[in-house]
Amino acid sequence: MKNNAYVAVENQPSKRGSAETKPLSKITILVTVICWLTIFIEGYDLVVYGAVLPSLMDPSEWGLSATQAGAMGSYALLGMFVGSSVGGVLSDKFGRKLVLLLSLVLLSIMMMLSALANSPESFAVFRFIAGLGIGGIVPAASALTTEYSPAKYRSLVYVLMYTGFAFGGVAAAVSGMLFIAPFGWRFLFWLGTIPVLIVPFAMKYLPESIKFLQASNQQSKAQKLMEKHQLAEEAAGEEEVAGKSNSLVSIFSKKYLTSTLLFSFIYILAFLLIYGMNTWLPKIMQQAGYPMKSSLAFLLIFNLAAIFGGIIAGAAADRIRPKKVICFTYFLAALSIALLSIKFNIVIMYLLIAVAGFGTTGTTFVLASYVMKHYNSQNRATAIGISSAIGRFGAVAGPILVGIILSMGVGFQFNFYLFAIIAVIASVVILFVPTNQSNQQS
């Protein structure tokens, strides 16, 4: 697939050869920052439930059992499944910008209602609807970032944008350490409403996808946008294989069917790892004998490592075939997670948690970038939306499976064994994704 990024020009359109060597333009930075902020709240929403879970299981609050807590953790993820299923299709049909901002508003409202919930049942309903918003954010933000990134830096820019996910997780873990004791768990959900403040700014400054405007016969709007931001199409000769076809049908065509199925399966494994560990890690480490603050520190390190590991892996994926990078990092995650079943001294445990965060959440940044580059400009939002939506089955299953294992009383080690096996499978499956002959980086 030829690249379709846009770069800023000064007096005249850039040639393809020089475009790839230009520094990042102002519009690339603007789009990346806004999308980073939207992904930040996704990460915050994921980890905040894990941070408050021990409180919700406390008899002085709702006294949830492990099975109940696992099921409740899956409600938001079930909402993400539904949201991702339609979010990519809607963003390809109605525009990335509209879907992104409406999803962010919906998520923020549900955060507020979650803070006000007076029963586990109402809390579960609000969490499910919040998941719908998160599901709509991901494909729209992914498509915008990819389309406005120059080809040379596309993987790195995408990974930098998606570090918002891990930064959101870090913010949730730090908030739990600082605010749960003095203010209670509800305060963390009030904090989760703050990102809605970026909506007016994004409405004014976030541009729509030029490829979307062109594909939807809005040529005049596309031209005005290109002139306003001094953009030049870097790959004017790109084959528009799906410009007028249904993007949902195209990702299941003969050309993409195997890739779509394999990417979807890998996302199931990836989300089972990420959501299972982020939901239950503090409670598992509590069961292993660590105090509450130390357990939240594990969650903090897990997400911090994902930030730096994801950036390193993203830079490597711009130089090495992404599937090799993904294979290696998942295997590294499997090894470190398996070793977590042994209680070493605290420094070694922190190191293993860091490697696990890098190899799970950090690898998913590169995986998403790989998916976006594997498809063309007309169906990539649908591809990432559908594959990640199918992956939500793993997200839903992760918290439930861990809850069941914990309720069986077989020991915290068995959860780590489960996660390690899943990471090994992901490491192997990625190697079977067929190489896209039009994409040299596949």
Side-chain angles (χ1 to χ4, degrees):
M1 180 181 73
K2 295 181 182 179
N3 298 307
N4 68 307
Y6 297 89
V7 293
V9 294
E10 295 177 358
N11 298 319
Q12 60 185 11
S14 301
K15 294 182 180 180
R16 180 179 177 84
S18 61
E20 293 192 0
T21 60
K22 289 178 70 66
L24 297 180
S25 65
K26 291 181 180 179
I27 193 62
T28 298
I29 296 172
L30 174 65
V31 170
T32 303
V33 169
I34 292 176
C35 290
W36 184 95
L37 291 170
T38 64
I39 294 297
F40 176 93
I41 188 59
E42 181 198 6
Y44 183 91
D45 182 87
L46 161 63
V47 178
V48 74
Y49 182 73
V52 305
L53 185 57
S55 298
L56 298 181
M57 296 179 71
D58 192 296
S60 65
E61 285 291 339
W62 288 338
L64 299 177
S65 67
T67 304
Q68 290 174 323
M72 186 174 291
S74 295
Y75 293 146
L77 309 179
L78 183 61
M80 290 183 203
F81 167 72
V82 178
S84 292
S85 298
V86 300
V89 177
L90 291 177
S91 66
D92 279 334
K93 186 172 183 179
F94 297 108
R96 290 36 162 158
K97 180 177 178 177
L98 178 64
V99 172
L100 182 69
L101 298 184
L102 288 179
S103 297
L104 181 59
V105 170
L106 177 63
L107 174 58
S108 299
I109 293 173
M110 289 305 111
M111 277 283 197
M112 177 185 68
L113 294 177
S114 295
L116 296 170
N118 56 14
S119 69
E121 292 77 18
S122 60
F123 182 80
V125 171
F126 298 143
R127 295 291 294 155
F128 172 79
I129 302 175
L132 295 176
I134 293 176
I137 287 173
V138 177
S142 298
L144 277 169
T145 300
T146 301
E147 292 175 17
Y148 278 94
S149 300
K152 182 178 180 180
Y153 304 108
R154 185 167 296 155
S155 286
L156 181 58
V157 170
Y158 184 89
V159 168
L160 287 172
M161 182 277 292
Y162 220 90
T163 60
F165 182 93
F167 272 107
V170 168
V174 171
S175 297
M177 297 172 69
L178 295 177
F179 302 128
I180 288 181
F183 301 115
W185 62 268
R186 295 176 188 274
F187 186 75
L188 271 64
F189 287 94
W190 284 113
L191 291 177
T193 65
I194 294 176
V196 75
L197 298 177
I198 72 170
V199 170
F201 177 84
M203 287 179 64
K204 182 175 182 180
Y205 295 106
L206 180 66
E208 180 55 272
S209 160
I210 292 178
K211 284 295 182 182
F212 163 75
L213 294 174
Q214 292 173 335
S216 57
N217 296 317
Q218 301 181 63
Q219 302 295 338
S220 61
K221 289 184 179 180
Q223 186 62 37
K224 288 179 181 179
L225 187 58
M226 293 175 69
E227 292 173 357
K228 176 181 179 181
H229 294 292
Q230 293 183 293
L231 300 175
E233 192 170 353
E234 182 184 314
E238 180 176 0
E239 182 183 4
E240 305 293 345
V241 295
K244 296 182 180 179
S245 64
N246 186 292
S247 59
L248 181 60
V249 173
S250 70
I251 67 171
F252 290 104
S253 66
K254 183 178 179 180
K255 178 179 180 180
Y256 290 116
L257 178 61
T258 301
S259 297
T260 299
L261 294 177
L262 288 177
F263 280 134
S264 298
F265 180 59
I266 294 168
Y267 263 112
I268 290 174
L269 302 175
F271 285 160
L272 198 157
L273 285 170
I274 295 171
Y275 289 85
M277 292 198 70
N278 272 294
T279 298
W280 281 106
L281 188 58
K283 190 64 180 178
I284 292 173
M285 301 315 289
Q286 251 191 336
Q287 191 182 58
Y290 296 93
M292 179 62 178
K293 276 208 169 181
S294 294
S295 298
L296 288 172
F298 283 115
L299 193 61
L300 173 62
I301 292 172
F302 183 84
N303 285 281
L304 270 176
I307 297 170
F308 299 105
I311 293 173
I312 293 171
D318 277 324
R319 294 167 175 79
I320 308 170
R321 291 186 182 275
K323 67 170 63 176
K324 292 183 179 180
V325 175
I326 295 169
C327 173
F328 174 75
T329 52
Y330 270 134
F331 181 79
L332 200 61
L335 181 61
S336 64
I337 292 171
L339 290 174
L340 285 172
S341 63
I342 304 171
K343 197 170 181 180
F344 297 103
N345 69 60
I346 193 68
V347 175
I348 295 178
M349 293 297 286
Y350 283 151
L351 178 62
L352 292 174
I353 285 287
V355 175
F358 158 52
T360 53
T361 306
T363 300
T364 306
F365 303 162
V366 183
L367 175 62
S369 174
Y370 183 24
V371 174
M372 297 295 289
K373 287 166 45 173
H374 195 79
Y375 294 83
N376 63 56
S377 61
Q378 283 70 43
N379 64 6
R380 61 168 55 106
T382 297
I384 192 70
I386 293 299
S387 58
S388 63
I390 295 173
R392 301 297 175 184
F393 282 114
V396 172
I400 294 175
L401 285 175
V402 177
I404 292 173
I405 293 174
L406 285 175
S407 66
M408 292 170 60
V410 294
F412 72 93
Q413 297 92 338
F414 284 87
N415 289 297
F416 291 129
Y417 298 154
L418 171 66
F419 291 139
I421 292 171
I422 291 169
V424 169
I425 296 173
S427 176
V428 174
V429 172
I430 190 66
L431 296 176
F432 290 91
V433 174
T435 298
N436 187 337
Q437 295 301 321
S438 60
N439 184 347
Q440 296 301 314
Q441 284 296 313
S442 291

